Amino acid sequence: MAVGPFARLLAQIVVPVVAVLARALPAAYAQALQNARKAGVDAAEASAPVFGKRISRSEALQVLNLTEEELAANPEAVQKQFERYFAANDVSKGGSFYLQSKIYRAHELLMEFQKEKRQEEQESQSKQEQSK
């Protein structure tokens, strides 16, 4: 007999909590996407899972303390900044493994970008030579 009132009390608590969560979670997700759009992140990147997500190019530039202009003027700056910050955050010297991994991923992304850019330039040059 005691189970009946307990079950009713439990139902009276659970049902409103579920109703609130059913409204709050989609609203919070929509707000997060809206904030991401304001920050310049597209919806697909914002809704991507956190684990295994690549960093953005702008974040990679921030991590290595570079600007677009510095990157265009001196492609070796990426390697120079990588070596400097990676060594400064060496775990054996009391550095941070998290920061070291961020620096490594930033270096990896920017080097990949530079490689793609060089390939595009070579392709455009070969197309120009073929058209002559």
Side-chain angles (χ1 to χ4, degrees):
M1 284 188 136
V3 176
F6 180 71
R8 192 174 92 209
L9 181 64
L10 187 63
Q12 286 177 341
I13 293 172
V14 170
V15 170
V17 168
V18 169
V20 167
L21 288 176
R23 282 179 280 165
L25 289 176
Y29 183 73
Q31 184 66 41
L33 285 178
Q34 185 178 18
N35 291 343
R37 279 190 213 104
K38 286 181 184 176
V41 179
D42 63 355
E45 187 176 335
S47 63
V50 175
F51 299 109
K53 179 181 155 189
R54 292 180 55 158
I55 64 174
S56 66
R57 183 160 181 241
S58 62
E59 184 181 1
L61 289 170
Q62 285 179 340
V63 167
L64 292 178
N65 196 23
L66 293 169
T67 63
E68 291 284 346
E69 294 79 25
E70 290 173 332
L71 186 62
N74 185 10
E76 291 80 27
V78 173
Q79 186 65 32
K80 180 182 167 190
Q81 290 292 82
F82 166 73
E83 290 170 357
R84 176 180 173 203
Y85 290 132
F86 197 80
N89 286 290
D90 190 6
V91 177
S92 64
K93 297 178 183 174
S96 167
F97 177 75
Y98 173 76
L99 289 178
Q100 227 181 12
S101 65
K102 278 290 213 184
I103 292 163
Y104 180 81
R105 294 296 172 211
H107 172 258
E108 182 180 53
L109 181 93
L110 292 176
M111 293 304 285
E112 183 179 310
F113 171 74
Q114 286 181 335
K115 181 180 176 184
E116 289 174 1
K117 190 174 178 181
R118 281 193 299 270
Q119 287 177 346
E120 289 174 3
E121 289 173 357
Q122 290 173 352
E123 289 173 4
S124 66
Q125 287 177 353
S126 65
K127 286 181 183 179
Q128 288 176 355
E129 290 174 2
Q130 289 175 357
S131 65
K132 289 183 181 180

